[in-house]
Amino acid sequence: MNTDLCDFKVPDVSQYVVNYDHVKQNVRDFSDDLKIDEKQHKGTKLLEIFDKINVTDTDLSLWAGYSGGKLFSGKSDARTKMQTVIEYAEGNGSCSKPVTQKLRVITKLICEKGIEKSLEYVHILLLIASHGSVCNVMKEVAIGNAYGLMTDKMDSILKQQSLEQQVAKALRDYRVLLVEKLFHSFAMMNNTHYIAGFHNKLANSIGVEPYNDINICTPTSSKCSNWQQNLDKRYFATLYNKENIIAYITEQINEKKISYQKIVQFLQDNCPKGVNKTEFLQLAIDIDSGKIHQQFICWMLEKLNVFMMKPDEWKPIEKCWDDIKQ
């Protein structure tokens, strides 16, 4: 990085720390701004669409059950299973409201594609159907996954979202992924209901939605009997920390889930007073690779209140949890 281009001196990465207050901020999803007609885009509309589209034996054969055999005996079987998921999302009071909204977004987007483009979404519908015989937690996961596949890389959606929205959504999703990573570190029974119970122990502290299911269980660990002790502090110190956040945001930029163009525009819009914008961009971006220097990733995250400058009285999270037996 050529620091001779202008007088501005970007703080070193070591001068930043995570501002954990950001996990409490409301994350606006794409679905929050999308106009959804509750009647026209109700999830049951997907059943009507499924009846009309061509679903081949080859399509069905790609979906295997837990035993390795065919998951669906035919199109009607797939429809019955999909109906179970849809009825849960649309008619069960315990279903999380964001999940119902996501199902309706899926419905709207598929309706807009039309029957003639069914090849683009037939496996989205089969993904939902594949969770027809599982617990409510997994039904919600299936709808969330289908929603992600429909929206994550849609250029029109990325253009509508602000950089702040894209970063906030990416970090919220990352926090959910890290919960499961921490769960597995305790060598707990690999069961959906235990994972959901573990998730719910952290949900409020890390700013993510809890799961709703009467069958959720609190797990136990033979490697750390006191695993619940300061679980949130363990999570923040060992997983959701500065180094991992920088790496994940960089990965999301490379995968185009956070808009590179919006970051460039953000750098220009927030260029320090008295600094030439072109020189500022040359300072922030590697001229050969086009990659944004790590110091400026931190600089951006500080502007978005994810990071903050290290206060004089700042202290890292001290270890206040038991070790996991090896």
Side-chain angles (χ1 to χ4, degrees):
M1 181 172 64
N2 187 355
T3 57
D4 297 327
L5 287 169
C6 62
D7 293 333
F8 177 74
K9 301 298 181 184
V10 64
D12 186 74
V13 173
S14 63
Q15 294 179 257
Y16 294 96
V17 293
V18 181
N19 176 9
Y20 284 111
D21 288 342
H22 80 268
V23 305
K24 297 296 185 180
Q25 295 173 357
N26 181 49
V27 179
R28 288 195 64 78
D29 209 314
F30 163 71
S31 60
D32 295 330
D33 301 316
L34 197 64
K35 292 182 179 179
I36 299 293
D37 186 307
E38 290 191 10
K39 291 184 178 179
Q40 186 178 354
H41 302 131
K42 197 168 184 178
T44 50
K45 183 78 174 179
L46 293 177
L47 296 171
E48 299 175 24
I49 294 171
F50 192 74
D51 289 338
K52 294 176 182 177
I53 66 173
N54 181 39
V55 182
T56 67
D57 289 340
T58 300
D59 292 331
L60 296 171
S61 68
L62 295 176
W63 294 87
Y66 291 112
S67 62
K70 286 185 177 181
L71 180 59
F72 306 118
S73 60
K75 182 180 178 181
S76 61
D77 180 43
R79 186 192 192 279
T80 299
K81 288 182 168 68
M82 183 167 67
Q83 183 174 355
T84 302
V85 180
I86 291 171
E87 287 179 348
Y88 165 72
E90 290 287 1
N92 192 316
S94 68
C95 181
S96 305
K97 287 184 179 180
V99 172
T100 302
Q101 180 72 354
K102 286 179 179 180
L103 180 64
R104 291 176 180 177
V105 170
I106 293 169
T107 305
K108 175 182 172 65
L109 294 176
I110 286 178
C111 286
E112 290 175 349
K113 285 182 179 293
I115 301 299
E116 64 277 6
K117 292 186 177 180
S118 63
L119 286 176
E120 295 182 14
Y121 59 78
V122 61
H123 286 286
I124 296 291
L125 298 179
L126 291 175
L127 168 61
I128 295 172
S130 70
H131 289 71
S133 302
V134 298
C135 65
N136 292 344
V137 170
M138 291 308 298
K139 287 182 174 67
E140 294 196 11
V141 169
I143 293 171
N145 289 342
Y147 173 84
L149 290 171
M150 289 289 292
T151 63
D152 272 0
K153 291 189 176 181
M154 286 181 63
D155 289 340
S156 60
I157 292 175
L158 288 175
K159 288 177 181 177
Q160 290 179 40
Q161 292 177 322
S162 68
L163 175 64
E164 184 175 13
Q165 287 175 319
Q166 290 178 11
V167 169
K169 178 183 179 298
L171 290 177
R172 180 199 59 194
D173 294 346
Y174 184 45
R175 293 197 294 275
V176 173
L177 290 174
L178 290 178
V179 170
E180 191 161 342
K181 183 173 182 178
L182 183 57
F183 170 87
H184 288 300
S185 72
F186 289 109
M188 294 169 169
M189 183 181 293
N190 192 18
N191 177 283
T192 300
H193 296 128
Y194 287 122
I195 295 173
F198 186 89
H199 172 103
N200 285 359
K201 291 291 182 182
L202 282 164
N204 184 58
S205 298
I206 67 173
V208 300
E209 286 286 329
Y211 289 114
N212 295 309
D213 191 320
I214 59 173
N215 296 312
I216 285 175
C217 306
T218 299
T220 59
S221 171
S222 60
K223 290 196 171 187
C224 186
S225 59
N226 198 21
W227 64 267
Q228 295 190 53
Q229 180 186 25
N230 297 310
L231 186 63
D232 55 344
K233 290 183 172 62
R234 184 200 294 263
Y235 173 92
F236 288 130
T238 64
L239 292 173
Y240 195 64
N241 52 38
K242 181 178 71 175
E243 293 74 21
N244 287 347
I245 289 173
I246 293 171
Y248 188 75
I249 290 297
T250 302
E251 178 184 298
Q252 294 296 290
I253 296 169
N254 292 339
E255 292 183 0
K256 299 182 180 180
K257 292 183 179 179
I258 293 177
S259 169
Y260 183 88
Q261 288 73 23
K262 286 185 184 293
I263 294 176
V264 172
Q265 189 61 53
F266 183 86
L267 291 168
Q268 291 179 315
D269 292 343
N270 291 275
C271 178
K273 290 183 179 179
V275 176
N276 180 278
K277 289 186 178 182
T278 300
E279 292 179 351
F280 186 64
L281 287 178
Q282 290 175 336
L283 192 65
I285 302 170
D286 185 274
I287 192 170
D288 295 318
S289 67
K291 292 183 178 180
I292 300 165
H293 292 296
Q294 195 174 82
Q295 294 100 312
F296 282 87
I297 296 288
C298 293
W299 181 87
M300 175 188 74
L301 293 175
E302 189 268 332
K303 297 293 182 186
L304 295 174
N305 297 315
V306 176
F307 287 174
M308 62 182 180
M309 301 307 298
K310 186 186 296 183
D312 293 337
E313 68 279 7
W314 180 83
K315 293 182 180 180
I317 298 173
E318 294 184 2
K319 185 176 182 296
C320 49
W321 52 83
D322 292 345
D323 289 329
I324 301 173
K325 297 177 184 176
Q326 298 302 315

